[in-house]
Amino acid sequence: MDALAAIAPVLIGSTLLANEEEQERRKPPAVSCGSRDIDLEALEGGFRYGEVTAVAGAPGTGKTTLVFHMIASHLIANEKGRVVLIATTNPPLARLRDVLISRLARHDHSPAFEESGYVYKKQSSVTPRTPDVMRLVSSMLERVKISRVFDFPGLAEALSELSAILEEEENRAEVENLDTSEHERRRGIADSENGDVDELPTELVSEGPETADAAQLSTPTSAAACMIVVDNIANVVGTMMTKSQVQGHALLASFMRSLRHLTKRRHICTLLLNAAVGLRLENTQYHGRADDQVSVFASVPGKPALGKHFSYLVDTSIFLAVLPRSKEDANVACGDSRQGRKYEKVCVLEVLKDRYGGREGRWDAFTIEADGNIRSVRL
């Protein structure tokens, strides 16, 4: 029994609870999607750090624009924040630059929620590209590291390299902290010798067992908040699944366990862009059984790619779709005379799953303005 205790020290419940509370305190504030209404109505504050969020949708549903606004919020709210963009296609970096420019212009006029990068006031669609703004945008883009991958082994390798980099940074920080502590300890001993003090400094008092347990369970955090974006995970996983479903699911589950462990331990905001399936080419009808419906809207076609198995591997699942804005628009879109007639559309963000909160089933509608900004609308 003593040998077993030496291998696996006993941890008490109060220590585990204290460590969990400490992890929550270390998390940065949630990432805004660029619209205060969507953050509050559907997301209860935004996208949380320490969780893996899958954002699925067909082309044209605002998936990339939404993620770019989250990247902008992360960079604006964290002066040293970093973004690792793992791209399976050519990322539209010009759009990211334009989003940053627009958000910076609005950020200057919205001091109430500067720490979260929120956007409230409707500004002119013409954003001044002054030298100061462009220099700031360039400095932000320097904190966006892009890794190109073409298959699933490349994706796994990119994650392994990122984990190694963060581990190296943690070790370097620990060495620096030890050097600082040693310097303070030596200075404390010198001061005590000069003052003829018999008591040892508090730095030299050994830790009790409970403190040691807390130190063992402590979760490291980087000085700079980090965000991971994978665009698009379906491109590399789908190819692997076509070769072998069983092996593909096993490799995906192993990869997601590693990703979730890294995300939670380092308090990273991880976003996985996913495709949608079950759509016609014109995205008007859904081919499938009634029990395949995932949205609360009966007229929303399709569902996230990679199947139900993938939804159990993430913490939060977001689904984006496009719907007619009003009843009249729906009549035009679904009626017999819809050909050649235009109607107004809106994008819908819906929370399909939330592992650690009560956001499941919540939704909000939005439009994307000409300048790329997101505006919540009421249906």
Side-chain angles (χ1 to χ4, degrees), residues 353-370:
K353 175 197 172 184
D354 185 10
R355 187 190 300 270
Y356 300 114
R359 300 178 296 179
E360 186 169 331
R362 303 184 69 168
W363 62 273
D364 201 5
F366 65 94
T367 59
I368 300 175
E369 303 293 310

Side-chain angles (χ1 to χ4, degrees), residues 143-157:
R143 291 186 274 138
V144 179
K145 309 301 180 184
I146 301 175
S147 177
R148 295 288 305 276
V149 299
F150 304 98
D151 51 20
F152 187 79
L155 178 61
E157 183 179 355

Side-chain angles (χ1 to χ4, degrees), residues 101 127-136:
I101 293 173
T127 303
R129 301 195 177 196
T130 63
D132 291 338
V133 170
M134 298 309 297
R135 278 194 294 269
L136 186 55

Side-chain angles (χ1 to χ4, degrees), residues 300-375:
V300 168
K303 58 183 178 180
L306 304 181
K308 292 183 179 180
H309 174 76
F310 181 68
S311 66
Y312 297 117
L313 302 177
V314 300
D315 298 312
T316 305
S317 179
I318 304 292
F319 190 52
L320 300 176
V322 175
L323 289 176
R325 179 164 185 172
S326 64
K327 182 178 180 180
E328 291 75 15
D329 295 322
N331 291 332
V332 174
C334 303
D336 296 334
S337 60
R338 66 178 181 269
Q339 293 183 355
R341 297 183 60 184
K342 295 183 179 180
Y343 60 94
E344 192 172 356
K345 306 176 184 178
V346 293
C347 300
V348 176
L349 180 149
E350 182 181 354
V351 182
L352 299 181
K353 175 197 172 184
D354 185 10
R355 187 190 300 270
Y356 300 114
R359 300 178 296 179
E360 186 169 331
R362 303 184 69 168
W363 62 273
D364 201 5
F366 65 94
T367 59
I368 300 175
E369 303 293 310
D371 57 0
N373 283 305
I374 296 175
R375 182 171 66 88

Side-chain angles (χ1 to χ4, degrees), residues 127-307:
T127 303
R129 301 195 177 196
T130 63
D132 291 338
V133 170
M134 298 309 297
R135 278 194 294 269
L136 186 55
V137 169
S138 297
S139 65
M140 288 184 173
L141 290 176
E142 289 177 357
R143 291 186 274 138
V144 179
K145 309 301 180 184
I146 301 175
S147 177
R148 295 288 305 276
V149 299
F150 304 98
D151 51 20
F152 187 79
L155 178 61
E157 183 179 355
L159 178 64
S160 178
E161 291 177 356
L162 174 60
S163 180
I165 292 174
L166 294 177
E167 191 74 25
E168 182 180 353
E169 291 179 353
E170 178 196 350
N171 295 336
R172 190 183 308 118
E174 288 181 352
V175 171
E176 293 176 355
N177 291 335
L178 287 175
D179 292 342
T180 303
S181 300
E182 179 68 15
H183 176 72
E184 293 178 353
R185 186 183 70 84
R186 292 177 182 272
R187 186 174 61 183
I189 293 176
D191 292 341
S192 63
E193 289 176 349
N194 293 334
D196 296 330
V197 178
D198 295 330
E199 295 182 358
L200 287 175
T202 56
E203 292 85 353
L204 299 180
V205 178
S206 61
E207 296 178 332
E210 184 170 339
T211 306
D213 288 344
Q216 175 189 358
L217 291 172
S218 62
T219 302
T221 56
S222 306
C226 184
M227 173 182 283
I228 299 175
V229 179
V230 179
D231 181 17
N232 181 300
I233 190 170
N235 291 344
V236 293
V237 175
T239 304
M240 179 180 63
M241 292 292 188
T242 57
K243 298 179 180 179
S244 173
Q245 286 279 344
V246 176
Q247 184 179 9
H249 280 299
L251 292 174
L252 178 60
S254 177
F255 169 80
M256 291 301 300
R257 279 195 297 269
S258 299
L259 180 60
R260 288 191 62 217
H261 175 74
L262 176 66
T263 297
K264 187 175 180 63
R265 186 167 182 260
R266 306 286 179 180
H267 305 310
I268 299 172
C269 180
T270 300
L271 306 172
L272 304 179
L273 274 67
N274 192 12
V277 296
L279 301 164
R280 284 186 183 272
L281 294 179
E282 63 272 20
N283 295 337
T284 57
Q285 290 187 0
Y286 169 52
H287 289 270
R289 303 186 308 274
D291 57 1
D292 286 333
Q293 187 76 26
V294 297
S295 174
V296 296
F297 299 95
S299 58
V300 168
K303 58 183 178 180
L306 304 181

